[in-house]
Amino acid sequence: MRRFIVVGHEAVTSDDFRLDDLAGSTGRLDILLRCVNSAFMLSHGVRTDTELFLCLQGPPARPRVVRLVGSELRHLNPDERSTAALIRKALALRMQGRSTPGIYLEMRGLKGLLEEYGRDLVYLREDGEDLRAAVLPDDPAFLLSDHRDLTPEEETAVLDLQPRIVSVGPRSLHADHCIVLVNNELDRV
Amino acid sequence: MRRFIVVGHEAVTSDDFRLDDLAGSTGRLDILLRCVNSAFMLSHGVRTDTELFLCLQGPPARPRVVRLVGSELRHLNPDERSTAALIRKALALRMQGRSTPGIYLEMRGLKGLLEEYGRDLVYLREDGEDLRAAVLPDDPAFLLSDHRDLTPEEETAVLDLQPRIVSVGPRSLHADHCIVLVNNELDRV
């Protein structure tokens, strides 16, 4: 199993947003939508060995996690708008549960995810060891951030877990591109 | 200079489409929009050493190419909708010319592109040589297709040029993911 955790520092935690303004009024949820595509999309199907945790830190509500489970997903299309509709449906639940096949709302934040997956954590950071040379855990959980770096508090919590720190290459890339590169690397093992 | 040519077999050749139905009524223009993101987007800026040719084969009009030039691009954002608005503006020109900085409409199709860039062509195909082992031209032009393979006629025209045939890895991926992987490989040279 490969897992990706993406921190959306200002990503909306309610379903009160418009599908035609995804890059504007959602706290950059659009970045996380592209991560959904990168994590799961194959030419003909979906990666069933993958889980993705979108860590939405709000406002307006407290942090929530939308969890996507590749082996259960249905109705996932590659475009941002239809993925946004699925995420919005999850946020509309307002309590823990499944919204559509393979998509779950969880009432926790990054701290809860680090407690569960911290042992196999791989922190993607520009100054890390080259992904191609890195020795990865068997069930890695890759941690990425949106357009903002982790806060000092988040970074401390992550580093306390002594994660592997890994870089995808010489250029600084968006989270969704990093996920494509990680998936390719794992495909080659 | 690195170039990408993406064939959109049914991609719309007029500006008569709606930004809230990009994956529906545009002949899968959404795939090409994601290729724009993959070709150009860095964390902080745009790849200035890159050109992208979107080969739109229609309907309703005859084939057109929308050419994006990284060194001239302004106003490019990573989301599909705003990129679609830029492409639509180019298609609205209806004759050869520049619509916005770095974006040009050209009244030609794949044949014209192959004539110009055929010498340095790298054809991305699942059964190709591994990208990581391939010897690439100095100014490569990578040819990719949308959700459909090249037609037999297109394939013949391409193979007549004796291109390098290259694969990005063991899984079959969407064109935008392939571009991310190619860019990373070239970044590492």
Side-chain angles (χ1 to χ4, degrees), chain A residues 148-168:
Chain A
R148 291 175 43 185
D149 289 335
L150 293 186
T151 65
E153 295 73 25
E154 289 167 344
E155 173 110 356
T156 300
V158 167
L159 295 182
D160 279 351
L161 298 165
Q162 301 186 285
R164 291 158 185 82
I165 304 180
V166 164
S167 160
V168 295

Side-chain angles (χ1 to χ4, degrees), chain B residues 133-154:
Chain B
V135 178
L136 300 175
D138 288 338
D139 291 305
F142 294 90
L143 178 70
L144 306 98
S145 194
D146 61 359
H147 61 303
R148 290 175 44 187
D149 290 335
L150 294 186
T151 65
E153 294 74 23
E154 289 166 346

Side-chain angles (χ1 to χ4, degrees), chain A residues 41-132:
Chain A
M41 280 292 152
L42 294 168
S43 255
H44 309 285
V46 159
R47 291 182 184 275
T48 55
D49 59 346
T50 300
E51 283 186 7
L52 171 65
F53 300 83
L54 303 179
C55 193
L56 313 175
Q57 299 195 331
R62 297 183 55 195
R64 277 140 175 62
V65 168
V66 176
R67 175 175 166 227
L68 296 97
V69 181
S71 60
E72 302 173 20
L73 280 174
R74 301 283 177 276
H75 325 302
L76 185 68
N77 289 307
D79 66 295
E80 291 171 15
R81 187 185 174 92
S82 67
T83 303
L86 291 173
I87 302 301
R88 194 168 66 169
K89 200 171 280 189
L91 287 169
L93 283 182
R94 293 195 171 77
M95 54 186 294
Q96 187 130 334
R98 194 190 86 158
S99 53
T100 50
I103 305 188
Y104 299 84
L105 182 68
E106 301 179 345
M107 311 307 274
R108 57 177 172 170
L110 179 60
K111 186 160 172 263
L113 292 175
L114 292 180
E115 279 165 11
E116 188 165 355
Y117 301 110
R119 214 183 49 176
D120 301 311
L121 204 63
V122 182
Y123 176 22
L124 290 213
R125 205 173 65 180
E126 292 159 34
D127 61 349
E129 179 190 9
D130 185 2
L131 171 65
R132 294 192 185 180

Side-chain angles (χ1 to χ4, degrees), chain A residues 7 25 30 41 45 48 58-60 64 88 108 113 128 130 139 141-143 165 169 173 177 185 188:
Chain A
V7 182
S25 60
D30 64 307
M41 280 292 152
T48 55
R64 277 140 175 62
R88 194 168 66 169
R108 57 177 172 170
L113 292 175
D130 185 2
D139 291 305
F142 295 89
L143 179 70
I165 304 180
L173 302 179
H177 293 192
E185 194 61 34
R188 288 169 171 273

